[in-house]
Amino acid sequence: MSVFYHEKSREFHLTNGRISYILSILDNGEPGHIYFGKAVHDRPSFAHRIEYRCREMSPYCFPDRPEFSMNHLQQEYPNFGHGDLREPAYVVRRGTGSTICEFRFRAYRISRGKPPLPGLPSTYTESDDEADTLELELFDERMQASLTLTYTIFRDFDAVARSVRFENHSTEPLVLERAMSASIDFPDRDFEMIRLTGTWARERAVQRTALSNGIQRIYSRRGCSGAVHNPFLALVRPDTTEHSGEAYGFSLVYSGNFLAQTEVDAFDVSRVMLGIHPDGFSWPLRPGERFTTPEAVAVYSDSGLSGMSGVFHPLYRSRLARGTWRDRPRPILINSWEAAYFDFDEEKLMALARKAADVGIELFVLDDGWFSTRTNDHSGLGDWWYNKERFPNGLGGFARRLKQLGLDFGFWIEPEMVNADSELYRAHPDWILRDPDRFASLTRNQYVLDYSRPEVVTYIGDLICAALRESGAVYIKWDMNRCITECFSSALGPEDQGTVYHRYILGVYALYERLTREFPHVLFESCASGGARFDPGMLYYAPQCWTSDNTDAMQRVEIQYGTSFVYPISCMGAHVSASPNHQLNRHSSLSARADAAIFGTFGYELDLTRLPQEDLDEIARQVAWMKQHRALMQFGDFYRLRSPFECDDAAWMVVSPDASEAVVGWYRFRQPASPAFSRVRLRGLDPDADYIVQPLGLILGGDELMHMGLSTSDLPDDTPCDSKTKRFYLSMQK
Ligand code: DGJ
């Protein structure tokens, strides 16, 4: 891969041979966008692609060039108030009150590899030959401030990572009022926009709508990325399908307030931008200070949505997620939440653990309720020491008993929250986010701790570290069960209140950084009332995330299907829970529940002590199956085959990188009478190989399975009518 610079035309071309990203320095010194998409050969200039038009009523930069209007030129990082009347990427306010900026090209640097972003999660390289980075420095002479656009192109992934750094070199304070991470102008509007949307227990449903003039935006102002919209959007051509056509994916590596939008202007230019939500954001940039935006990742594929996801998955699995557990198959766990909720003591948990050990489960996760006075959701948050009545010998004593059964131990925390009924709140009522002159909203009886204050982060961190040491735990589930309201910090002055949302997330990242550094062997699973903070920022610290509180098998297929647009299987926490299901009260068979959960990091979340022996025997078989196949499931190539958002059934599969084995999951959402025949065409197999297909007991060609399809029609009359799912295992015949 390379970054070409053509001095005469002042053009930059980033390419890895499969994709190209081309930009130029316009005559007014601002960076203009030329192209992002399938690779083109490098040329000394693509300036002929910049179309100048003299348009009525448009502001222009040079008295004798009315066609040079920033309102019509495609740009890389458009500003506010200087001729571009569309949405700006940034706004900087000077002491005079002026927001007019003139950041002009000053210098560039091309380097190998990819520099980290200070205090922020980002994609990375493991050696310098994996990526090249271009830094484009723009300078505003009057303001004495620089703005540096950073672009990284990867050798192995068809993606460009972007971020922006502002620096105040003057003696005058500045205020950043908007600082998006990336903006790209496409020359047409022949696109549809895909977003992942939902709410609690139905996260990340796929929605696809045509672009129209004006702005289509998704966002969060909740203090976390949230369940309503994921920090991701895709632009696809109207004829793009799962496996063909152009797809652009944009993803923000950030866990706080975000904005992602497409604006179509009057001349059908489509401007995509994403970054920190400007509402509630204003960042004083004092003399000598810097501000770095989160990273945005832009992906291009000409092989449809699966091609787009096929870039995100390995990039996020191997060059965003980090640590000991990044490449390791994940332990099969039992989680105590839906098994016992708050109603437990050590002996009750030990009974559950014995059953878990009997069926081959490897990790016992003690969910909410183990600490201080926490026997319901009204008290205890903030006081992270174990409840002596429940655990007379501490978490360490409990963990040692688990170890004797052959189980590892992990526990739940919700370190960003506090109950009013807690020692922490009584000692430090000012440690929560609130305006002291106003009432403070509650959600689930709890307040949000002020993580913009380092002393709060340190205090909580010390307690969690002590609990980790005392217990010897190897796993942490980090939950976050309310969004931020009354975002005001008692520790900051009036001019800094606009920094609190972002400082909060930086505090969360700082604690994750501390814990992952001090406990590198611990597997972290993030969570926010299920999947309300399922974002790339979290993935950098926690390689898996609890996908949703909804554990109904069929709804989980929808949720995991939508989630897979961006995120790999290896990061989706997925558990077999009770039937009837606790969220929907719906019945489903044990096999259907497992058939959904195996496409994730597998576990159980139900009271095993209440199950009949035949169910426990079946669970033992499921666990054994998953142990045998989890490397394939969690690290194979994942393909969506049929969408539950478009059909009455759904299908997906994973294939090992060498195509020697595969698992196919098929799920029926609606059972018609007299059903038609059903075929699903598989992907990623070796067309020249034969595969043994179980449980059919057939030997079928890879080409046949991919072109003629796998039959998912019901088997003859002995198929039980409640069988909603099928699982096929394919192994290449040697
Ligand atoms: C919300 C999580 O999503 C659940 O899995 C569980 O951990 C509860 N919180 C505990 O309070």
Side-chain angles (χ1 to χ4, degrees), residues 85-96:
L85 305 172
R86 297 166 290 180
E87 287 267 299
Y90 68 99
V91 177
V92 186
R93 184 179 294 278
R94 293 172 61 198
T96 61

Side-chain angles (χ1 to χ4, degrees), residues 337 367-368 412 444 477 479 481 527 529-530 546 549 605:
W337 184 241
D367 210 280
D368 200 350
W412 176 97
R444 209 191 185 205
K477 176 179 173 187
D479 204 347
N481 283 306
C527 172
S529 305
W546 181 225
D549 274 350
E605 184 151 349

